[in-house]
Amino acid sequence: KMRKLYRAKHEVLLECLQPMRRDFVISGENAGLHLLLTSKRGMPERVLVQKAAELGVRVYGLSESMVEDVPDSASVLLGFGGLSEEQIREGIGLLQKAWQIGRERG
C-alpha cells in the first residue's frame, strides 16, 4: 500500500518538474523518496536553497549530505515522502517562482 502511495507522489513530482527540465538536470528518478536537481545555469546551491526558503519551501543542498566538500555545487535534493500530492504541486509551483523558471531572464 505504501509503495503505491509513494509511486503516485513520485509520478506527480516528475510531472510537475517537466517545465523545469530546460533549466535543471533531474536525476535520481529511480531512487528513494527524493530527486536531485542540478542547475544548468550554474545557480549556486546556497542561492537555490535561500530563494526556495524565502517562499517557504525547504530544499536541501547537496553538500549537506556529502562527507567531502562539493565545490561550487549547483544541486539540491527534493524530498517528497512526507508531502501530499497537493503539497508537491504547490511546492514545485513555488520553486518555479523562486528560481524564475519559465520567465524571460535579462
Side-chain angles (χ1 to χ4, degrees), residues 3 16-17 23 26-27 32 37 40 49 58 61 72-73 76 80 85-86 91 95 104:
R3 191 176 304 199
C16 291
L17 288 172
D23 296 292
I26 301 167
S27 45
L37 296 184
K40 292 179 181 178
V49 171
R58 177 78 165 117
D72 302 324
S73 173
V76 292
F80 62 91
E85 291 182 20
E86 183 56 38
L95 289 179
E104 289 300 318

Side-chain angles (χ1 to χ4, degrees):
K1 183 177 179 179
M2 292 306 291
R3 191 176 304 199
K4 185 177 179 182
L5 178 67
Y6 289 133
R7 186 178 308 123
K9 291 179 183 186
H10 186 257
E11 289 171 7
V12 166
L13 179 59
L14 287 176
E15 175 187 317
C16 291
L17 288 172
Q18 288 309 312
M20 298 175 73
R21 286 193 181 272
R22 194 177 99 212
D23 296 292
F24 287 87
V25 173
I26 301 167
S27 45
E29 292 104 325
N30 301 316
L33 300 176
H34 62 273
L35 294 175
L36 182 67
L37 296 184
T38 302
S39 174
K40 292 179 181 178
R41 295 185 273 150
M43 189 181 295
E45 168 190 303
R46 62 181 164 66
V47 173
L48 293 168
V49 171
Q50 177 187 347
K51 288 187 175 290
E54 288 171 4
L55 293 184
V57 180
R58 177 78 165 117
V59 297
Y60 301 87
L62 180 61
S63 63
E64 291 180 39
S65 57
M66 303 298 282
V67 174
E68 297 179 15
D69 285 339
V70 181
D72 302 324
S73 173
S75 299
V76 292
L77 290 167
L78 300 183
F80 62 91
L83 302 175
S84 69
E85 291 182 20
E86 183 56 38
Q87 288 172 316
I88 292 169
R89 286 185 181 92
E90 182 181 331
I92 296 303
L94 289 170
L95 289 179
Q96 290 175 338
K97 183 177 179 182
W99 298 337
Q100 299 184 10
I101 305 301
R103 298 183 187 178
E104 289 300 318
R105 293 179 291 274

